[in-house]
Amino acid sequence: MPERVKTVILFLLVISSIILTGQLLFGLPALETAAPPAYEQLVFGELRPVTEYLRPALHFGVGGKWQVLQPWDEEYDNAWDVVSALFHVNGTPEVSTSPEQEIVQSSEEGEGVQVRLFFPVLTPPSIWFSSFRLAELAVDTLFWYETEPGVVWLRDGGNWLHSGLQPLPQEFAESLSAVFSEAPQYTVTEAREWEPLTVVPGRELLVPDVPLMLAPRMLKKENLDIDKLLRSIFVDIALVRRIEERDGAVIYTDGQRGLRLFDHGELEYTSPKSEPGVEAMERIPALRRTAQYLQLLGGWPEHIYLDSIIPAEKLGWNRRQWYTYQVSFLSVQHGMPLIGGRAPVTLLFSDRGVVYYNRQVKILGEKTDTPTVMVDPRLTVPVIMDKLEQEGFNASLVDVYAGYYLRDSIAMQTVSQPVWALVFDDGRTAIVHGLTGQFVTWLD
């Protein structure tokens, strides 16, 4: 009897072995068709292409009146498709005088269309238009006049250049008028309208044709997935120490890099080992690297726009400043920039990685009151002049624009007020309450 049991067991083992072997050989899908293992995506959002965040402000002028479209405006894409024809040059740009010195403008008679493009940083047009004539060029400004339709003026940051254009599409000026038809309208003010303040010679200060109507809005801090951020920064979470500071901030560090989180929503990341850099980067590769870092460090929200990129000078006596790049951003929500003493996102990096990263993104919420007409910024000149005289400063106006004011990041601000920002050539900005006209503060 025991021998029969052993025989049955052995028979069952042989049969099961044959069945399992068959499943291994024929029952599993091919490697190419098998579902890949699921890994956690430790990135925030999609990687933004450089062509998306380098687009310029578009100014369309007729007879002293200007219409302006910013990259965040709904009508921008259609206008950009039309305006981009102005980069189709048919010759290598040559050094020139400024276009105002070469063009006899007829704007006073209401004749002639003008187009002006202003880029946030020096930008190679070749990222959009592959042309050997533009291969080595980076520009911050473009001017075009209907009175000279075959010529375009470009500024490379310091010098003006001009070049001939390929034939423009038929009825180009009419197409421009159509795509700018819904754009906000502005008027160029005269220097005497800002007296006793002075305006930097050659600067045109634009004010809205129709008074702006804004209301205070609720303000809240950005909601980030901190656990995901930690896993994105630190390879081995088990090696990370958590330190609580007396002011309520929390520090996470593995001894080589550190992440500091504040109660008011600010985060600060440092990695000193990434400085100094050992290789220089061209502007476009540096901006692509910027997008990659932001994707790993909380993401690049749609309301965050590139403001500046500054390569650090190579100083022989200070190796810690070799080949580093500082990038700053601005936030635009509900069509208005958020104005504060510090940028919502600041990034310092080298070819070895992120050196310093600061993020304090605020979100504008619902209105807290009925929209009210903002005061004319020219009516705020007396109060600003008083402040200048009291402090002994003598500066000239560079720019004027409206936005929402953010106090110091440490303050727990819950409501943001509409303001006027008046920018001076000494680097300071006067903030004036947009509804009362009262002076608020200086920003450096």
Side-chain angles (χ1 to χ4, degrees):
M1 187 66 180
E3 294 298 328
R4 287 186 177 181
V5 173
K6 291 180 181 178
T7 301
V8 171
I9 293 174
L10 181 60
F11 177 76
L12 293 174
L13 289 174
V14 172
I15 294 300
S16 63
S17 176
I18 293 173
I19 293 172
L20 293 174
T21 301
Q23 287 184 343
L24 287 174
L25 293 175
F26 307 108
L28 294 178
L31 180 61
E32 292 80 1
T33 61
Y39 296 102
E40 182 180 8
Q41 294 295 314
L42 295 178
V43 294
F44 296 80
E46 298 293 329
L47 185 65
R48 296 184 66 176
V50 68
T51 52
E52 180 181 321
Y53 52 84
L54 279 180
R55 296 190 295 180
L58 309 178
H59 292 218
F60 172 77
V62 180
K65 297 286 186 178
W66 288 93
Q67 291 175 272
V68 179
L69 286 174
Q70 300 287 357
W72 48 83
D73 291 325
E74 291 183 3
E75 303 86 1
Y76 184 91
D77 288 343
N78 291 334
W80 172 246
D81 289 342
V82 174
V83 169
S84 59
L86 297 177
F87 283 102
H88 296 160
V89 299
N90 63 2
T92 302
E94 300 177 353
V95 176
S96 169
T97 57
S98 67
E100 288 86 353
Q101 294 177 349
E102 296 194 22
I103 294 291
V104 178
Q105 300 187 41
S106 56
S107 58
E108 293 183 359
E109 291 78 19
E111 299 177 3
V113 168
Q114 302 179 39
V115 174
R116 299 179 181 181
L117 277 59
F118 300 97
F119 289 87
V121 298
L122 276 172
T123 301
S126 56
I127 65 173
W128 293 289
F129 315 102
S130 179
S131 169
F132 71 92
R133 300 184 179 94
L134 301 174
E136 303 298 325
L137 185 64
V139 301
D140 59 13
T141 308
L142 178 148
F143 279 19
W144 176 84
Y145 299 89
E146 187 181 14
T147 54
E148 291 286 342
V151 182
V152 67
W153 278 262
L154 307 163
R155 191 174 65 186
D156 62 2
N159 299 316
W160 279 103
L161 311 169
H162 76 270
S163 174
L165 280 173
Q166 295 179 13
L168 292 169
Q170 291 185 353
E171 300 180 346
F172 179 68
E174 289 78 3
S175 298
L176 288 172
S177 299
V179 294
F180 279 93
S181 61
E182 301 298 324
Q185 297 186 357
Y186 293 81
T187 299
V188 178
T189 60
E190 298 182 8
R192 60 180 177 79
E193 298 178 58
W194 300 94
E195 293 177 350
L197 294 177
T198 59
V199 178
V200 170
R203 294 303 296 247
E204 293 183 343
L205 301 185
L206 302 180
V207 297
D209 261 7
V210 178
L212 298 176
M213 293 189 65
L214 297 178
R217 287 183 177 271
M218 296 297 296
L219 192 67
K220 60 182 179 180
K221 61 184 180 182
E222 178 186 34
N223 184 22
L224 273 182
D225 187 338
I226 300 302
D227 289 338
K228 183 176 179 179
L229 181 63
L230 289 171
R231 295 194 301 275
S232 177
I233 292 175
F234 301 103
V235 177
D236 189 350
I237 296 296
L239 300 178
V240 177
R241 291 180 298 159
R242 184 179 188 275
I243 304 170
E244 295 188 12
E245 297 186 308
R246 291 183 179 181
D247 61 0
V250 178
I251 296 177
Y252 296 89
T253 180
D254 62 359
Q256 294 185 341
R257 67 201 76 184
L259 176 67
R260 190 180 188 190
L261 306 175
F262 298 86
D263 282 342
H264 56 265
E266 179 182 359
L267 68 84
E268 189 175 57
Y269 170 73
T270 55
S271 180
K273 68 180 181 62
S274 298
E275 188 179 23
V278 295
E279 293 184 6
M281 284 182 281
E282 297 294 333
R283 182 172 299 270
I284 296 305
L287 287 170
R288 290 196 178 104
R289 187 77 63 91
T290 296
Q292 293 169 356
Y293 288 144
L294 259 62
Q295 190 186 30
L296 292 171
L297 297 173
W300 190 329
E302 298 222 348
H303 61 86
I304 297 295
Y305 293 84
L306 180 68
D307 188 35
S308 67
I309 177 169
I310 304 173
E313 294 182 3
K314 180 179 177 182
L315 303 177
W317 55 270
N318 186 354
R319 288 184 58 86
R320 294 183 64 81
Q321 293 189 22
W322 282 21
Y323 303 132
T324 56
Y325 304 83
Q326 179 170 309
V327 186
S328 296
F329 299 81
L330 60 87
S331 176
V332 180
Q333 300 176 42
H334 300 283
M336 290 290 162
L338 273 60
I339 305 168
R342 299 172 66 186
V345 178
T346 302
L347 177 67
L348 178 68
F349 65 93
S350 70
D351 64 299
R352 300 172 62 187
V354 177
V355 179
Y356 174 81
Y357 174 68
N358 184 277
R359 185 184 184 106
Q360 42 189 329
V361 175
K362 302 294 184 181
I363 307 298
L364 285 182
E366 63 276 10
K367 301 172 184 176
T368 62
D369 204 347
T370 304
T372 305
V373 175
M374 293 185 68
V375 299
D376 190 312
R378 288 164 289 190
L379 299 179
T380 69
V381 168
V383 67
I384 297 175
M385 196 65 197
D386 288 342
K387 292 292 181 180
L388 287 171
E389 292 176 348
Q390 291 173 15
E391 300 176 17
F393 287 98
N394 184 17
S396 299
L397 273 174
V398 176
D399 195 10
V400 178
Y401 61 95
Y404 281 93
Y405 174 59
L406 302 180
R407 295 200 303 267
D408 188 278
S409 60
I410 297 177
M412 299 300 289
Q413 184 180 357
T414 58
V415 177
S416 182
Q417 299 289 342
V419 297
W420 285 107
L422 287 82
V423 184
F424 290 85
D425 60 357
D426 63 354
R428 298 190 307 160
T429 299
I431 302 298
V432 180
H433 198 293
L435 306 182
T436 66
Q438 295 180 343
F439 181 84
V440 177
T441 189
W442 289 105
L443 297 179
D444 295 320

